[in-house]
Amino acid sequence: MSTFYRQIGHVDLTRLLGVDEGDHRSLSSTVRYCDPFAPPAFCPLANAFWNGVGMFYGQGFASADDVVGHEMTHGVISHHADLFYWGQSGAINESLADVMGEIVDHRHRGPGDSPHSWTIGEDLPIGAIRSMKHPGRFGQPQTMTGRRYARGADDNGGVHTNSGVGNRTFYLISQGGRQAGRTVHGIDGPSLRKSATLYLDVIEHLVSGSDYADLGAVLDRSCHVLARHHTVGMTGGDCRNVHRATRATRLRTTPPRAKQPPDAPMACPRGAGPVRLLFDSEKGHPASRFDAGPTWVRAPNQSVFPPVSANATSGRASWFSSEAAGHHGQLPDDASRRPPGRPPGVPVVPAVGVSWRPARTSTAPR
């Protein structure tokens, strides 16, 4: 993975994700991991995850290069787009991790690997878990309007299901195909260098609150920038096919099964007064200073548990506060989604965030 990221974007993974060990930094990976709060029958863990600091793999999970690439890419995402792990932004987070993991898998094929196989996790003890080419084989949607598109709070708003839309989009971009009356010609050769470079640029330019419509726009923008500079041989024709792929999977369409509420207007409820802009730096009138209470932190923040992502729809940071357990809107505590190390019975509480621009933040809800 370190070689891959260095080759496609001059990214030093050890510098980006490494743990400080005094005189050097190193990538942290734990294998044969056991959840200390899980029953003995569930040890070792039959899964893998990135916890904000390092990678953790259950028995046999570190042997699948696409899974290793997936988890390390979660780390890369956390240092760039920092996609909020909920709903569409969470599904994009999962999809981008799948994309980069599968590219690595194809660039380093082992004995028995087929260039025509586009499954994730085929080398796992439990077998393949997703397909980039045919998401429906694993119960995932391949368009925003598909009947398999998940809704509700389960799995953080269906992040591991709805990632199928992003995965299918990548497959069409890379390998081509026909969908929704559109023919897409793949942009990639055997090295998948064009799609690898494109998707790294996308990771570096999305923001934490991005949705699938934003992904479509950034794919277009990133492709045109690469083509303008003749990077990795990207062409205008490639970009037309990238755009066709985003149209084929209907990235810009709100899913009928999980409609998004409109953004809140920049105004307070009737009778509550006008919007006030509050400064959060040393500048501005003292009466207009935002006074963060003890529950608030500036996000992103990796020093709290669980780590807090930016959750910003503009800019790169936000203010974030955890609600007390029992408040309305509390998310269900599901052991299968509980952060590693969080014991049963301790609720995973929701939080509110305020998207901010440097030096000031708004009291209007987002």
Side-chain angles (χ1 to χ4, degrees), residues 36-262:
F37 299 103
F42 293 93
C43 179
L45 179 74
N47 210 333
F49 62 90
W50 158 263
N51 77 338
V53 178
M55 289 70 66
F56 293 78
Y57 304 96
Q59 180 72 40
F61 277 70
S63 64
D65 54 0
D66 49 5
V67 172
V68 173
H70 175 108
E71 300 307 336
M72 287 194 177
T73 298
H74 275 312
V76 175
I77 292 168
S78 72
H79 285 271
H80 290 288
D82 199 21
L83 287 154
F84 189 59
Y85 205 67
W86 181 269
Q88 290 192 32
S89 56
I92 296 169
N93 196 325
E94 281 297 321
S95 176
L96 294 176
D98 276 353
V99 165
M100 299 307 258
E102 187 63 6
I103 290 174
V104 167
D105 192 19
H106 275 258
R107 285 168 64 99
H108 300 279
R109 289 198 295 271
D113 285 349
S114 168
H116 307 294
S117 173
W118 292 90
T119 53
I120 298 290
E122 66 274 8
D123 296 324
L124 291 175
I126 59 175
I129 54 177
R130 288 185 287 278
S131 171
M132 314 293 283
K133 183 177 182 179
H134 299 294
R137 290 183 180 176
F138 293 87
Q140 293 185 298
Q142 64 178 20
T143 71
M144 298 296 284
T145 56
R147 60 182 178 82
R148 291 187 174 94
Y149 198 96
R151 55 187 169 189
D154 189 53
D155 187 29
N156 284 22
V159 298
H160 289 95
T161 299
N162 299 335
S163 60
V165 178
N167 288 357
R168 175 63 178 174
T169 303
F170 158 76
Y171 177 81
L172 290 173
I173 289 172
S174 175
Q175 300 300 300
R178 184 169 177 79
Q179 182 169 315
R182 291 180 169 85
T183 298
V184 182
H185 299 286
I187 69 173
D188 271 329
S191 72
L192 277 67
R193 192 178 179 194
K194 286 185 178 180
S195 61
T197 306
L198 172 64
Y199 271 84
L200 178 58
D201 196 75
V202 166
I203 288 171
E204 293 174 341
H205 287 90
L206 289 171
V207 296
S208 65
S210 295
D211 59 15
Y212 269 122
D214 296 318
L215 175 61
V218 175
L219 279 166
D220 280 348
R221 173 237 164 245
S222 292
C223 189
H224 284 294
V225 170
L226 294 173
R228 190 179 310 126
H229 292 90
H230 309 290
T231 305
V232 296
M234 196 75 78
T235 67
D238 291 330
C239 296
R240 286 189 288 275
N241 280 294
V242 168
H243 183 71
R244 289 187 192 111
T246 68
R247 300 289 292 181
T249 56
R250 302 182 180 179
L251 289 192
R252 296 164 182 81
T253 302
T254 296
R257 288 177 51 81
K259 292 184 178 180
Q260 294 175 275

Side-chain angles (χ1 to χ4, degrees), residues 50-53 78-79 82 298 300-310:
W50 158 263
N51 77 338
V53 178
S78 72
H79 285 271
D82 199 21
R298 172 62 65 78
N301 191 322
Q302 299 295 318
S303 66
V304 296
F305 183 84
V308 178
S309 59

Side-chain angles (χ1 to χ4, degrees), residues 266-292:
M266 285 295 291
C268 293
R270 185 182 300 275
V275 170
R276 293 178 59 215
L277 293 178
L278 303 179
F279 289 85
D280 61 358
S281 71
E282 71 282 358
K283 300 177 182 179
H285 192 276
S288 296
R289 182 177 177 82
F290 176 58
D291 184 16

